[in-house]
Short mmCIF file of all heavy atoms in Angstrom, two decimals:
data_model
loop_
_atom_site.label_atom_id
_atom_site.label_comp_id
_atom_site.label_asym_id
_atom_site.label_seq_id
_atom_site.Cartn_x
_atom_site.Cartn_y
_atom_site.Cartn_z
N GLN A 103 218.87 122.62 257.01
CA GLN A 103 219.82 123.64 257.46
C GLN A 103 220.96 123.79 256.46
O GLN A 103 221.40 124.88 256.14
CB GLN A 103 220.36 123.26 258.83
CG GLN A 103 221.33 124.30 259.39
CD GLN A 103 221.85 123.88 260.75
OE1 GLN A 103 221.50 122.81 261.24
NE2 GLN A 103 222.66 124.73 261.36
N ALA A 104 221.44 122.67 255.93
CA ALA A 104 222.53 122.72 254.96
C ALA A 104 222.09 123.40 253.67
O ALA A 104 222.84 124.12 253.04
CB ALA A 104 223.05 121.32 254.66
N GLY A 105 220.82 123.17 253.27
CA GLY A 105 220.34 123.76 252.03
C GLY A 105 220.13 125.26 252.14
O GLY A 105 220.28 125.97 251.17
N GLY A 106 219.77 125.78 253.34
CA GLY A 106 219.48 127.20 253.47
C GLY A 106 220.57 127.99 254.13
O GLY A 106 220.47 129.19 254.28
N GLY A 107 221.64 127.33 254.54
CA GLY A 107 222.68 128.03 255.29
C GLY A 107 223.64 128.78 254.40
O GLY A 107 224.40 129.60 254.88
N SER A 108 223.65 128.51 253.12
CA SER A 108 224.64 129.16 252.24
C SER A 108 224.04 129.30 250.86
O SER A 108 223.43 128.40 250.33
CB SER A 108 225.92 128.32 252.19
OG SER A 108 226.79 128.85 251.23
N ASN A 109 224.24 130.46 250.28
CA ASN A 109 223.74 130.69 248.94
C ASN A 109 224.51 129.90 247.89
O ASN A 109 224.07 129.72 246.78
CB ASN A 109 223.80 132.20 248.59
CG ASN A 109 222.83 132.99 249.44
OD1 ASN A 109 221.79 132.48 249.84
ND2 ASN A 109 223.15 134.26 249.71
N ASN A 110 225.73 129.45 248.29
CA ASN A 110 226.57 128.71 247.34
C ASN A 110 226.29 127.22 247.36
O ASN A 110 226.85 126.50 246.55
CB ASN A 110 228.06 128.95 247.66
CG ASN A 110 228.43 130.41 247.50
OD1 ASN A 110 227.88 131.09 246.64
ND2 ASN A 110 229.36 130.89 248.33
N SER A 111 225.47 126.75 248.31
CA SER A 111 225.23 125.31 248.41
C SER A 111 224.34 124.87 247.27
O SER A 111 223.47 125.60 246.81
CB SER A 111 224.56 124.98 249.75
OG SER A 111 225.39 125.35 250.82
N THR A 112 224.55 123.64 246.85
CA THR A 112 223.71 123.05 245.81
C THR A 112 222.96 121.89 246.42
O THR A 112 223.43 121.26 247.39
CB THR A 112 224.55 122.54 244.64
OG1 THR A 112 225.43 121.53 245.11
CG2 THR A 112 225.36 123.67 244.02
N PRO A 113 221.77 121.56 245.90
CA PRO A 113 221.03 120.42 246.45
C PRO A 113 221.82 119.15 246.43
O PRO A 113 221.75 118.36 247.34
CB PRO A 113 219.79 120.36 245.53
CG PRO A 113 219.65 121.74 244.97
CD PRO A 113 221.02 122.28 244.86
N GLY A 114 222.59 118.96 245.39
CA GLY A 114 223.36 117.72 245.31
C GLY A 114 224.37 117.60 246.43
O GLY A 114 224.48 116.57 247.08
N SER A 115 225.13 118.67 246.70
CA SER A 115 226.16 118.59 247.74
C SER A 115 225.53 118.49 249.11
O SER A 115 226.02 117.77 249.98
CB SER A 115 227.08 119.81 247.66
OG SER A 115 226.33 121.00 247.90
N SER A 116 224.42 119.19 249.35
CA SER A 116 223.77 119.10 250.65
C SER A 116 223.23 117.70 250.88
O SER A 116 223.37 117.13 251.96
CB SER A 116 222.61 120.12 250.73
OG SER A 116 223.11 121.44 250.57
N PHE A 117 222.62 117.13 249.85
CA PHE A 117 222.06 115.79 250.01
C PHE A 117 223.16 114.77 250.26
O PHE A 117 223.03 113.91 251.13
CB PHE A 117 221.28 115.43 248.75
CG PHE A 117 220.63 114.08 248.82
CD1 PHE A 117 219.44 113.90 249.50
CD2 PHE A 117 221.23 112.98 248.21
CE1 PHE A 117 218.86 112.65 249.58
CE2 PHE A 117 220.64 111.74 248.28
CZ PHE A 117 219.46 111.57 248.97
N GLY A 118 224.26 114.88 249.49
CA GLY A 118 225.36 113.95 249.68
C GLY A 118 225.95 114.06 251.06
O GLY A 118 226.23 113.07 251.72
N SER A 119 226.14 115.27 251.56
CA SER A 119 226.73 115.46 252.89
C SER A 119 225.82 114.92 253.96
O SER A 119 226.23 114.22 254.88
CB SER A 119 227.02 116.95 253.12
OG SER A 119 227.48 117.16 254.42
N GLY A 120 224.52 115.25 253.85
CA GLY A 120 223.60 114.77 254.88
C GLY A 120 223.48 113.26 254.88
O GLY A 120 223.47 112.62 255.93
N LEU A 121 223.43 112.65 253.71
CA LEU A 121 223.30 111.20 253.62
C LEU A 121 224.53 110.50 254.19
O LEU A 121 224.43 109.54 254.94
CB LEU A 121 223.10 110.80 252.15
CG LEU A 121 222.88 109.32 251.87
CD1 LEU A 121 221.59 108.87 252.52
CD2 LEU A 121 222.85 109.05 250.38
N GLY A 122 225.71 111.02 253.83
CA GLY A 122 226.94 110.38 254.31
C GLY A 122 227.09 110.50 255.81
O GLY A 122 227.39 109.54 256.49
N ASN A 123 226.86 111.70 256.38
CA ASN A 123 227.11 111.91 257.79
C ASN A 123 226.08 111.25 258.68
O ASN A 123 226.41 110.70 259.72
CB ASN A 123 227.15 113.41 258.10
CG ASN A 123 228.35 114.09 257.46
OD1 ASN A 123 229.36 113.44 257.23
ND2 ASN A 123 228.23 115.38 257.13
N ASN A 124 224.81 111.33 258.29
CA ASN A 124 223.76 110.83 259.18
C ASN A 124 223.45 109.37 258.97
O ASN A 124 223.35 108.61 259.90
CB ASN A 124 222.49 111.68 258.98
CG ASN A 124 222.67 113.10 259.52
OD1 ASN A 124 222.60 113.31 260.72
ND2 ASN A 124 222.93 114.05 258.63
N PHE A 125 223.29 108.94 257.70
CA PHE A 125 222.97 107.54 257.48
C PHE A 125 224.14 106.64 257.82
O PHE A 125 223.98 105.57 258.35
CB PHE A 125 222.54 107.33 256.02
CG PHE A 125 221.05 107.48 255.84
CD1 PHE A 125 220.39 108.57 256.39
CD2 PHE A 125 220.33 106.54 255.13
CE1 PHE A 125 219.02 108.70 256.23
CE2 PHE A 125 218.96 106.68 254.97
CZ PHE A 125 218.32 107.77 255.51
N GLY A 126 225.37 107.11 257.48
CA GLY A 126 226.55 106.30 257.80
C GLY A 126 226.67 106.08 259.29
O GLY A 126 226.82 104.97 259.77
N GLY A 127 226.60 107.19 260.08
CA GLY A 127 226.71 107.03 261.53
C GLY A 127 225.53 106.29 262.10
O GLY A 127 225.66 105.49 263.02
#
Side-chain angles (χ1 to χ4, degrees):
Q103 182 180 1
S108 173
N109 293 331
N110 297 327
S111 299
T112 62
S115 62
S116 300
F117 182 80
S119 175
L121 183 64
N123 293 334
N124 291 282
F125 269 48

